[in-house]
Amino acid sequence: MREREFGPYGGRFVPETLIPALEELERAWIEAAADEAFTAELGELLRDYVGRPSPLYRARRLSERLGQDVYLKREDLNHTGAHKINNALGQTLLARRMGKRRIIAETGAGQHGVATATACALMDLECVVYMGAEDMRRQRPNVERMELLGARVESVEAGARTLKEAVSAAIRDWVANSGTTHYVIGSAVGPAPYPAMVRDLQRTIGDELREQVLTAVGRLPDRVIACVGGGSNSIGAFVPFALDADVELIGVEAAGEGVATGRHSAPLATGARGVLHGAFTAVLQDADGQVLEAHSISAGLDYPGAGPEHAWLRDEGRVSYVAVEDDAAVDAFKLLSRLEGIIPALEPSHALAWLLANPNPGGVDALVLSGRGDKDLAEVLAR
Amino acid sequence: MSATGAATGAERIAAAFAGHGKRAALMPYLMGGHPSKEESLAAGEAAVAAGADLIELGVPFSDPLADGPVIHAAGTAALEAGITPGDVLEICAALAPRVPVVLMVYANVVLADGPEAFAARAAAAGAAGLIVPDLPQDEADEVRAACDTAGLALVALVAPSSTPERVAAIGANARGFVYAVSLAGTTGERAELPPELSGLVERVRAATDLPVAVGFGISTAEQAATVGALADGVIVGSRVVRAAGEGGADAVGAVIGELAEALRRG
């Protein structure tokens, strides 16, 4: 098997037309990341506009209930309410530096779309967001937010009319317009250099977390727990701990209605290897190589693939990937709201649910609360 | 010809490009299993009868990144009707005695069982080659080796954005023919041909001795004649798939007849 960026995983399985654009992007990213003016501007925006560093909060009543220390990394307190803004700001800043005046993005629940529309408003760039027609119906307030921010939301009618098709539609746009347009992909997925670039932009989560835990308890946590859809908040949290052999890393996928039903979003815990959206990675597929629809109550985890670096970390045994069903995630969503006065997004509610079922008595765990749950109220209250 | 007398895919493709008696070879694209398995086979037969020199036969895929709305919708309809790669290989087997069939298939379908297994199945169904639109030069070694072993030509694609270094490498590794993608974008009918097309064909010619066929955005007889004057082959996809959906084999035969006539006149 060919060596790629992440063992056998990663690569560029895209039409030839896009290869020069990906090569240009990789060069531009390497240059920008080494340019002090660029990193200083991004750092200033992350501090003054996003509100970083995000706090690390010792969840008092949750810790008491589980008989351990639980620290929540509060990405829900970022501007726009999730970790997505870290990546969207970095990529739009890079696009502006590359002279690309038009930005495209995909979105599922709308969090990445809102973050990208926000960054484009700030930087005065044209913004088009592809969103499945079904997701537009389910997430109307986020569609209205994006439009208020000046973005155009393109309805995608193909397939199940959700996130997978929105990514495909954005890639097709980019095939036609890569000369003028930058595609801000929302997770650590896609053709190289996206998985590594998104990881680099999200690792601020893990870098801060590591320092904050050390300050708070004087040692590293026993476990770092994060939810995994495409896997951007989790890869950002995990990577700074990769060489800390004593720190257990747990990625929590969505088991949907149950892994045994086949209606889930857990390609790492269950899936075969294949090509999705330009990368060789963990993919839900049938025996013929047709990509299957994912199922999860959480739109942000409702994706049939995961980033290629996760597939590699799984094979290497560095990260354990587990899956949590819809019902358990909803229970965790309600529990944190009552215990801590924090309404979490449904995505990190999966990570919380795993922790509730697998406590670490007397120990110290850190959990990435990747976003706030306001967007999920209707979904949860309807159950 | 090999020692056993059976021609390899590359040899059958070469013969089709050499013996068409037109300005350029005509290669229609049909979506396997669209609008039904029987009708797509009938459409292929009608295309051959009307003057197609090779057939590009699409394997429907769940996430066809290189395709525009017409071919995407045809593939989705075929999948919804239960068409599998195995069904498309049966259509291929029925057409292959009459015309070289090149399968247009996305990478994940080729890799699902391993490229060796897919190449062996395709060769057993009489396919002459594979076009894998999301398998650029950098990722192609394994699949090319599997195709070489099975006697299939892995057709390489060049785009207007390909750098001179990439065109040279693609040409050096090409099999059968080189597929020049006429424009930056997905498949689909366009009102105008891109103005820089002759330059693209010249750049590809300088990198290979194989025939150069042009596809994407060619739908009318006039466009086919223009491209036929530049290149060795003309690939027409969305227009033909649209005809198959609207009027079945008869409509496909009529479209191919018109395109073939334009290539003869020219």
Side-chain angles (χ1 to χ4, degrees):
Chain A
M1 177 102 27
R2 185 172 116 77
E3 276 295 304
R4 299 194 176 90
E5 298 78 37
F6 310 108
Y9 300 108
R12 288 179 178 148
F13 292 85
V14 293
E16 168 67 19
T17 305
L18 275 185
I19 298 288
L22 290 165
E23 289 176 341
E24 178 196 9
L25 178 61
E26 182 160 44
R27 281 192 303 272
W29 172 242
I30 290 169
E31 283 172 21
D35 177 351
E36 279 177 24
F38 178 86
T39 54
E41 184 176 3
L42 179 57
E44 186 185 309
L45 285 171
L46 289 173
R47 185 190 67 209
D48 300 338
Y49 188 73
V50 176
R52 303 207 70 90
S54 65
L56 185 73
Y57 165 65
R58 183 179 175 281
R60 298 180 182 189
R61 295 183 62 204
L62 181 62
S63 295
E64 189 182 337
R65 186 183 178 109
L66 295 178
Q68 65 167 100
D69 285 331
V70 177
Y71 285 90
L72 300 178
K73 180 61 174 160
R74 299 289 307 274
E75 294 299 303
D76 60 314
L77 295 177
N78 291 339
H79 180 43
T80 71
H83 70 291
K84 295 291 187 186
I85 190 76
N86 304 330
N87 170 52
L89 265 182
Q91 284 201 47
T92 44
L93 206 56
L94 179 65
R96 197 187 63 184
R97 180 185 162 100
M98 292 172 74
K100 312 262 179 182
R101 300 292 309 169
R102 179 174 178 267
I103 298 293
I104 56 174
E106 84 294 339
T107 199
Q111 294 305 102
H112 173 59
V114 168
T116 304
T118 297
C120 287
L122 178 67
M123 295 186 208
D124 190 24
L125 298 171
E126 182 188 348
C127 182
V128 176
V129 179
Y130 288 92
M131 188 170 187
E134 177 61 16
D135 286 337
M136 284 179 73
R137 188 188 62 74
R138 289 191 294 194
Q139 308 284 346
R140 193 70 217 164
N142 271 342
V143 174
E144 285 159 2
R145 271 185 200 106
M146 287 183 269
E147 288 172 348
L148 182 65
L149 291 160
R152 188 159 54 98
V153 182
E154 286 280 348
S155 172
V156 179
E157 303 287 346
R161 303 184 297 168
T162 56
L163 177 58
K164 175 169 78 85
E165 305 301 336
V167 177
S168 295
I171 292 175
R172 289 191 189 96
D173 180 316
W174 206 39
V175 170
N177 299 303
S178 62
T180 58
T181 299
H182 174 66
Y183 174 27
V184 179
I185 206 163
S187 192
V189 300
Y194 280 106
M197 179 171 69
V198 175
R199 173 204 61 207
D200 291 350
L201 288 167
Q202 292 292 3
R203 75 167 282 163
T204 184
I205 299 172
D207 285 334
E208 291 172 8
L209 171 59
R210 197 171 184 285
E211 201 179 302
Q212 288 167 323
V213 175
L214 280 172
T215 303
V217 293
R219 69 170 177 94
L220 293 175
D222 301 319
R223 306 188 296 189
V224 176
I225 305 162
C227 62
V228 183
S232 68
N233 91 80
S234 50
I235 202 71
F238 291 163
V239 161
F241 294 94
L243 299 178
D244 300 316
D246 292 340
V247 179
E248 206 181 331
L249 305 174
I250 315 282
V252 185
E253 296 188 292
E257 296 170 19
V259 165
T261 67
R263 293 175 61 80
H264 61 83
S265 301
L268 290 162
T270 68
R273 310 199 295 185
V275 172
L276 178 62
H277 293 142
F280 187 67
T281 187
V283 179
L284 298 181
Q285 59 186 345
D286 70 11
D288 287 328
Q290 306 292 354
V291 178
L292 299 174
E293 295 295 341
H295 295 275
S296 170
I297 187 175
S298 145
L301 303 183
D302 198 354
Y303 183 70
E309 192 164 6
H310 284 291
W312 191 41
L313 290 167
R314 174 195 62 184
D315 289 4
E316 296 284 302
R318 181 63 191 96
V319 180
S320 302
Y321 293 91
V322 296
V324 161
E325 294 181 14
D326 290 347
D327 290 345
V330 170
D331 289 345
F333 176 96
K334 292 176 177 167
L335 184 78
L336 195 76
S337 301
R338 291 292 181 92
L339 275 184
E340 300 287 350
I342 296 171
I343 301 172
L346 276 172
E347 291 81 10
S349 295
H350 287 71
L352 274 168
W354 184 86
L355 172 62
L356 293 170
N358 300 274
N360 174 24
V364 177
D365 289 340
L367 187 147
V368 183
L369 199 66
S370 56
R372 55 192 284 167
D374 308 49
K375 69 184 175 59
D376 297 316
L377 287 183
E379 187 75 38
V380 169
L381 296 178
R383 283 171 75 88
Chain B
M1 289 285 183
S2 69
T4 61
T8 66
E11 288 165 345
R12 281 180 284 150
I13 290 169
F17 274 98
H20 50 71
K22 296 194 280 293
R23 184 186 275 207
L26 177 58
M27 189 182 329
Y29 172 101
L30 290 162
M31 174 59 77
H34 169 79
S36 70
K37 193 171 166 183
E38 295 70 27
E39 288 171 283
S40 83
L41 173 56
E45 288 169 340
V48 175
D53 302 296
L54 305 96
I55 299 281
E56 187 185 350
L57 185 63
V59 178
F61 180 55
S62 52
D63 300 82
L65 291 182
D67 284 308
V70 170
I71 293 179
H72 186 186
T76 302
L79 288 174
E80 282 171 357
I83 297 294
T84 65
D87 292 321
V88 179
L89 291 177
E90 286 178 26
I91 298 165
C92 173
L95 292 171
R98 305 175 59 184
V99 66
V101 178
V102 182
L103 296 170
M104 200 294 230
V105 54
Y106 281 85
N108 202 42
V109 175
V110 177
L111 299 177
D113 249 347
E116 296 79 9
F118 188 86
R121 286 174 73 196
L130 302 185
I131 298 169
V132 188
D134 56 345
L135 191 77
Q137 159 75 12
D138 323 64
E139 301 288 355
D141 288 353
E142 267 184 288
V143 176
R144 189 186 308 106
C147 285
D148 285 349
T149 302
L152 295 176
L154 178 65
V155 173
L157 296 97
V158 172
S161 57
S162 302
T163 59
E165 297 74 24
R166 292 188 63 81
V167 175
I170 292 166
N173 287 304
R175 305 282 193 277
F177 66 94
V178 176
Y179 190 137
V181 175
S182 71
L183 49 81
T186 52
T187 58
E189 299 168 51
R190 310 287 202 280
E192 306 283 337
L193 290 170
E196 62 276 23
L197 190 56
S198 65
L200 173 68
V201 173
E202 278 168 33
R203 290 204 292 141
V204 179
R205 280 205 195 286
T208 180
D209 295 329
L210 293 173
V212 178
V214 176
F216 284 48
I218 304 168
S219 60
T220 68
E222 189 190 354
Q223 289 169 337
T226 304
V227 175
L230 302 170
D232 306 305
V234 178
I235 303 170
V236 180
S238 295
R239 177 71 191 92
V240 178
V241 171
R242 190 157 63 80
E246 289 168 358
D250 290 346
V252 169
V255 168
I256 303 302
E258 201 179 305
L259 293 165
E261 178 56 28
L263 288 171
R264 279 191 206 97
R265 269 203 315 268

